[in-house]
Amino acid sequence: PADLEGAEPLRPELHQVLRQPRRIVHQERGIGQYSLTVASAKQPELVAPAALRCDPAQHGSPYFAYSHAFLSMIGGWTSLYYYSVRGWSHPCTGEAVSQMNHFGERPGRLDGKLALVTGSTSGIGEGIAAEFAREGACVLLSGRDSERGAQVIEKIVASGVPPEHLGFRRADLADVAQCRALVEHAVSVFGGLDILVNNAADVTRGNIENTTVELWDRHMAVNLRAPFVLTQASVPHMRARGGGSIVNIGSINAYIGETKLLSYSASKGGLMTFTRNVASYLKRDRIRINQLNVGWTLTDGERKVMRSDTGSDEWLAQAEAARPFGRLLLPRDIALAALYFASDESALVTGSVLDLEQGPVGERS
């Protein structure tokens, strides 16, 4: 087409790569041109180059070419042989236009990354999985409810994410063997692992007088031992890919904690020390590990608990009125912070603990 200088059809090897989870292994930008090499995530030996050129004087910023090249990676289109750099109004199929509107602003911040997010069938974990997938990552979701997992994947796909970028594995993280199997499943599905988010947690309540030994042990197993086992199992796979990022979802209860959350708070305090200790060790492998200590967050689970505690639906309006910024945290607030730690934007950050709360922890009101 006249829009492209030296345009070529996509070669068969590029088609083959685009049909499966993939990652960008090399990219170069220049005035009026953009080129990249994309590899299959499942078959690292399957590599294909792609390039686009444009005349900046005629078409404006070469970012158009840059964006369309990434669109071919993100959308997985194998039916479009040419890409226009004239702008977003170039006639295409309705599906392609829809994909452009969704992904066209910029490349995904996790494009080509392979991620595992535990406890991702609801709440904060669901929000993180959805945000990562929309930013270009292949994401394996995990939880104890397979039906709920399928529903979450359906919602994410409806937002424009290719279904081949998502998977689900049922796992009870109180079981060490299931933790290890979860990591191996992620690697077998996507061909590697770049990102681990340890989000799953048990938040059953109990104070010093009514917390049973069984509850204490379960909190330590799910909230602290599982991140240890999952991290340990992930390290060899991240090391093989030249590095990775681990994001632990903690709680502001890690510092002291509510008295009704004794063993939960203790487990999150342990997770914070674990995060910093492992960061010191893994920095030599360029594997980063950071933690988000989350404050009061509005999830479906929190709604149920508070409705049960207060016997009223008025609790939310009262809670929001008392918060400094007029609302509770939302799962997407946590997801955006996790996205920063998972992406290359925090490439030199490890061992950090970020408190997500509407004021300094421990301040006097």
Side-chain angles (χ1 to χ4, degrees), residues 18 22 69-78 95 99 103 111 160-165:
L18 290 178
R22 53 210 170 267
F70 262 96
L71 283 170
S72 69
M73 302 300 106
I74 296 172
W77 303 331
T78 58
E95 177 183 356
Q99 291 283 7
F103 291 109
D111 193 66
V161 173
E164 64 269 22
H165 285 198

Side-chain angles (χ1 to χ4, degrees), residues 103-139:
F103 291 109
E105 295 181 4
R106 54 171 170 72
R109 293 159 70 184
L110 298 180
D111 193 66
K113 299 293 187 181
L114 313 173
L116 165 60
V117 182
T118 68
S120 45
T121 56
S122 64
I124 291 172
E126 177 183 347
I128 292 173
E131 194 67 29
F132 281 18
R134 285 192 291 264
E135 288 289 346
C138 293
V139 182

Side-chain angles (χ1 to χ4, degrees), residues 58-314:
Q58 180 180 359
H59 305 301
S61 169
Y63 180 74
F64 285 123
Y66 171 64
S67 296
H68 282 298
F70 262 96
L71 283 170
S72 69
M73 302 300 106
I74 296 172
W77 303 331
T78 58
S79 59
L80 300 178
Y81 279 71
Y82 296 97
Y83 295 87
S84 168
V85 291
R86 190 176 295 281
W88 307 132
S89 60
H90 180 76
C92 269
T93 66
E95 177 183 356
V97 170
S98 172
Q99 291 283 7
M100 285 184 187
N101 290 340
H102 185 74
F103 291 109
E105 295 181 4
R106 54 171 170 72
R109 293 159 70 184
L110 298 180
D111 193 66
K113 299 293 187 181
L114 313 173
L116 165 60
V117 182
T118 68
S120 45
T121 56
S122 64
I124 291 172
E126 177 183 347
I128 292 173
E131 194 67 29
F132 281 18
R134 285 192 291 264
E135 288 289 346
C138 293
V139 182
L140 181 70
L141 292 81
S142 176
R144 291 181 294 166
D145 187 337
S146 299
E147 183 178 350
R148 177 61 188 162
Q151 292 170 354
V152 171
I153 287 179
E154 185 177 352
K155 285 169 56 179
I156 297 174
V157 169
S159 73
V161 173
E164 64 269 22
H165 285 198
L166 300 166
F168 175 81
R169 172 85 171 193
R170 186 185 181 282
D172 180 353
L173 300 188
D175 185 324
V176 172
Q178 290 189 46
C179 290
R180 291 177 177 147
L182 181 58
V183 172
E184 295 309 314
H185 181 75
V187 172
S188 68
V189 168
F190 294 137
L193 188 63
D194 300 302
I195 301 164
L196 168 66
V197 179
N198 287 310
N199 169 73
D202 187 312
V203 199
T204 305
R205 296 179 177 186
N207 59 38
I208 186 58
E209 294 190 288
N210 60 22
T211 295
T212 64
V213 171
E214 290 74 21
L215 177 59
W216 177 279
D217 287 347
R218 177 162 179 81
H219 278 160
M220 296 306 152
V222 175
N223 302 357
L224 185 55
R225 188 181 67 192
F228 156 67
V229 176
L230 289 159
T231 298
Q232 188 178 66
S234 299
V235 166
H237 301 292
M238 291 183 176
R239 184 181 288 132
R241 291 173 66 82
S245 177
I246 299 165
V247 184
N248 290 330
I249 307 302
S251 168
I252 59 166
N253 286 286
Y255 296 106
I256 299 174
E258 297 183 69
T259 57
K260 63 186 177 185
L261 294 172
L262 169 65
S263 52
Y264 171 81
S265 300
S267 70
K268 292 302 184 179
L271 185 65
M272 190 162 59
T273 299
F274 170 81
T275 296
R276 289 172 166 154
N277 183 285
V278 177
S280 181
Y281 181 84
L282 291 179
K283 63 187 179 183
R284 67 194 74 181
D285 295 304
R286 297 185 178 179
I287 299 174
R288 302 178 296 108
I289 178 168
N290 296 285
Q291 180 159 323
L292 300 174
N293 278 347
V294 178
W296 197 1
T297 305
L298 183 61
T299 63
D300 289 342
E302 185 65 11
R303 289 178 186 273
K304 293 176 182 177
V305 169
M306 291 302 297
R307 189 179 295 116
S308 174
D309 282 356
T310 65
S312 169
D313 289 325
E314 299 299 318

